[in-house]
Amino acid sequence: MLSPRQTNVALFTALLLAFATGTGAVATGSPHGRWVVIGHGVAAMAVILLIPWKGRVVRRGLGRARRSRWASLLLAALAITTVVAGLGSSTGLIRSIGGQHGLWVHVAAALALVPLLLWHAVARKSRPHKTDLSRRVALRAGLLSAAAAALYLATDSTVRLAGLPGAKRRFTGSHEIGSFDPTSMPSTIWLNDTAPTFDLDEWRLTVVDGRGAYELTLPEVAEYQTPLRATLDCTSGWYAHQDWAGVPVSSLIRDVGEARSLLVHSVTGYWIRFPVDEIDRLLLATAVGGVPLARRHGSPLRLVAPRRRGYWWVKWVDRVELQRSPAWWQPPFPLA
């Protein structure tokens, strides 16, 4: 049996772990990062296991007249929404909510949850106790972790044995949509970007390398048709295998010089920075599935970045530039 204080501390810790691993799960695009996604699932199961104990705390709290009660209830509602949307997306039983991808709803609810969770921690301060480091507390934490891991494995096994749609999801949790069929592949834009229009006769790609800057017209770029099969894995919860074709970024770079990163810029103002040692695996695509890119998929030119999540695949590229700034000199996730 957990005391109200122990329940709150355990739940707060589990939620923080779920948020931290969830952030890592959104960022990872390589199978080497699978452990982050598994850790996120285990942390989520710990939250679920703590619900009965937290329910008792909530019932006691509702009997007290507090002005902040509405905020606590909103916190609980967002936590439930986050868990339900996450489970629904991972099992494939809830693919969309209100016309939005279930995983997107999961992420949005989790982000809205953070400020309320921090407020709740400050408003319901709990001073450290000597018993917090006792053997009994460590044993309970270990049992909770083991139970959460067992529940995660049991849920994953059930999804696979039952043949639920989630059994075919990628290690990132994304579901396959539109592989080798670009017309069926969803179109997703990061945050507030909108699909621009172009005068293709006036469009130019600016390349800045160790020798300086030069420009290429669309026909000059389109002369390259180097093929590359790569998986676009969007943070909205879907992925698609496609055959892309275009110009390798390495073919455009005449001299790396002292550069430490490559900045890829979109006409919308969106940009991403890559380490120079990744240049050899980057492709600027003009076609997918044997046909020119559609505008919604980044025409006339989009970046293909294998082993990176979708927000790295810059659409409507108009500039690639080598810079001396380190690759980490950018927000962990784009801000616009």
Side-chain angles (χ1 to χ4, degrees):
M1 180 68 69
L2 296 176
S3 68
R5 179 180 174 280
Q6 290 172 335
T7 298
N8 287 334
V9 171
L11 186 57
F12 182 74
T13 303
L15 286 170
L16 284 183
L17 287 173
F19 182 80
T21 53
T23 302
V26 169
T28 185
S30 167
H32 295 297
R34 184 190 301 269
W35 66 269
V36 181
V37 181
I38 294 174
H40 181 62
V42 172
M45 293 304 170
V47 172
I48 293 173
L49 289 173
L50 288 167
I51 289 176
W53 282 277
K54 183 59 178 178
R56 293 171 182 161
V57 177
V58 170
R59 284 194 294 271
R60 292 179 183 178
L62 290 177
R64 304 170 187 171
R66 287 177 174 171
R67 294 180 180 179
S68 60
R69 180 187 300 178
W70 66 269
S72 297
L73 292 174
L74 179 59
L75 174 60
L78 284 172
I80 292 172
T81 300
T82 302
V83 171
V84 171
L87 281 175
S89 178
S90 63
T91 60
L93 295 176
I94 303 177
R95 298 294 293 273
S96 65
I97 300 174
Q100 300 292 338
H101 291 286
L103 188 59
W104 187 93
V105 175
H106 171 70
V107 172
L111 291 174
L113 178 69
V114 172
L116 283 172
L117 182 63
L118 295 177
W119 161 81
H120 193 273
V122 172
R124 308 284 192 273
K125 290 182 180 179
S126 180
R127 295 181 179 179
H129 290 184
K130 292 182 179 180
T131 56
D132 288 344
L133 299 177
S134 68
R135 182 180 298 177
R136 178 178 295 180
V137 171
L139 179 60
R140 286 177 175 174
L143 288 174
L144 176 62
S145 299
L151 183 58
Y152 173 80
L153 292 174
T155 302
D156 188 63
S157 297
T158 300
V159 169
R160 297 183 186 283
L161 290 174
L164 297 178
K168 298 180 180 180
R169 68 188 187 279
R170 202 164 182 252
F171 70 90
T172 58
S174 297
H175 297 264
E176 185 177 8
I177 303 178
S179 285
F180 306 114
D181 182 11
T183 59
S184 299
M185 185 172 66
S187 174
T188 305
I189 300 176
W190 184 263
L191 298 183
N192 61 349
D193 267 356
T194 56
T197 56
F198 294 92
D199 181 343
L200 297 182
D201 292 331
E202 297 295 327
W203 178 89
R204 297 290 185 275
L205 171 67
T206 300
V207 180
V208 182
D209 60 11
R211 297 185 188 178
Y214 70 98
E215 291 185 342
L216 292 169
T217 64
L218 183 56
E220 289 173 326
V221 173
E223 287 180 1
Y224 296 85
Q225 286 298 305
T226 301
L228 177 63
R229 178 167 292 183
T231 301
L232 174 54
D233 191 332
C234 182
T235 53
S236 293
W238 60 269
Y239 75 91
H241 306 300
Q242 301 292 355
D243 288 322
W244 308 86
V247 53
V249 172
S250 58
S251 297
L252 302 177
I253 302 299
R254 300 166 299 182
D255 182 18
V256 173
E258 298 180 359
R260 299 171 64 188
S261 66
L262 176 78
L263 185 140
V264 183
H265 183 273
S266 169
V267 70
T268 65
Y270 184 91
W271 60 273
I272 286 288
R273 195 188 301 277
F274 293 84
V276 291
D277 58 8
E278 289 190 25
I279 290 178
D280 288 341
R281 70 182 191 214
L282 299 178
L283 181 81
L284 289 170
T286 55
V288 58
V291 297
L293 286 172
R295 185 164 69 97
R296 65 190 182 97
H297 287 316
S299 174
L301 196 65
R302 82 167 299 164
L303 185 69
V304 175
R307 290 183 280 177
R308 294 280 192 174
R309 296 301 292 276
Y311 62 88
W312 291 86
W313 294 44
V314 183
K315 292 182 179 181
W316 311 297
V317 176
D318 66 349
R319 184 181 186 90
V320 291
E321 180 177 349
L322 286 175
Q323 297 184 346
R324 293 188 179 183
S325 301
W328 54 262
W329 189 246
Q330 60 184 326
F333 297 102
L335 301 178

